[in-house]
Amino acid sequence: QVQLVESGGGLVQAGGSLRLSCAASERTFSIASMGWFRQAPGKEREFVASVSWSGGFTVYRDSVKGRFTISRDKAKNTVYLQMNSLKVEDTAVYYCAVRAAVSTTYDYWGQGTQVTVSS
């Protein structure tokens, strides 16, 4: 088991920036990757970005490429999402998640943090 605690959400004007953080509690398994997902009102949850834990390989959804940067600090068991040039359509609850090395899915989720971008 692992607990994920997110922080850094808030209200920002379009064009602004926010940085989300997600700290993982002590764990008894190896992490394969950590990711960020988001869910806007009335929409399904969607993938935003992920980073492989060992090699730092990153993947982004097309709509955030060039604006968002995911990174991880292995010593702190923390993953970050730097969000620049924010758009109104980025408004959503953002969740971080962990995929264990023995799994093919994201099995552990944070409680979510609200990001609201105003025009």
Side-chain angles (χ1 to χ4, degrees):
Q1 288 288 342
V2 63
Q3 288 188 329
L4 303 175
V5 179
E6 298 139 340
S7 60
L11 173 63
V12 64
Q13 287 191 327
S17 299
L18 284 173
R19 189 174 86 149
L20 306 183
S21 300
C22 175
S25 64
E26 291 188 12
R27 50 185 167 82
T28 58
F29 57 86
S30 296
I31 294 177
S33 65
M34 291 188 72
W36 288 96
F37 295 74
R38 66 187 182 188
Q39 186 167 20
K43 295 187 177 181
E44 293 189 352
R45 186 170 59 195
E46 61 184 21
F47 169 82
V48 176
S50 67
V51 58
S52 65
W53 202 244
S54 59
F57 179 73
T58 57
V59 180
Y60 298 92
R61 71 177 298 106
D62 286 345
S63 62
V64 307
K65 287 180 180 177
R67 300 189 297 121
F68 291 9
T69 302
I70 189 170
S71 61
R72 89 272 192 249
D73 185 329
K74 296 174 68 175
K76 296 181 179 180
N77 281 342
T78 299
V79 65
Y80 305 96
L81 186 67
Q82 177 67 44
M83 304 184 294
N84 299 327
S85 301
L86 281 161
K87 304 177 180 180
V88 172
E89 51 264 40
D90 294 318
T91 295
V93 177
Y94 283 69
Y95 299 90
C96 73
V98 168
R99 182 170 70 84
V102 296
S103 177
T104 59
T105 61
Y106 285 89
D107 298 314
Y108 302 96
W109 295 82
Q111 80 285 357
T113 185
Q114 177 69 48
V115 171
T116 303
V117 185
S118 63
S119 59

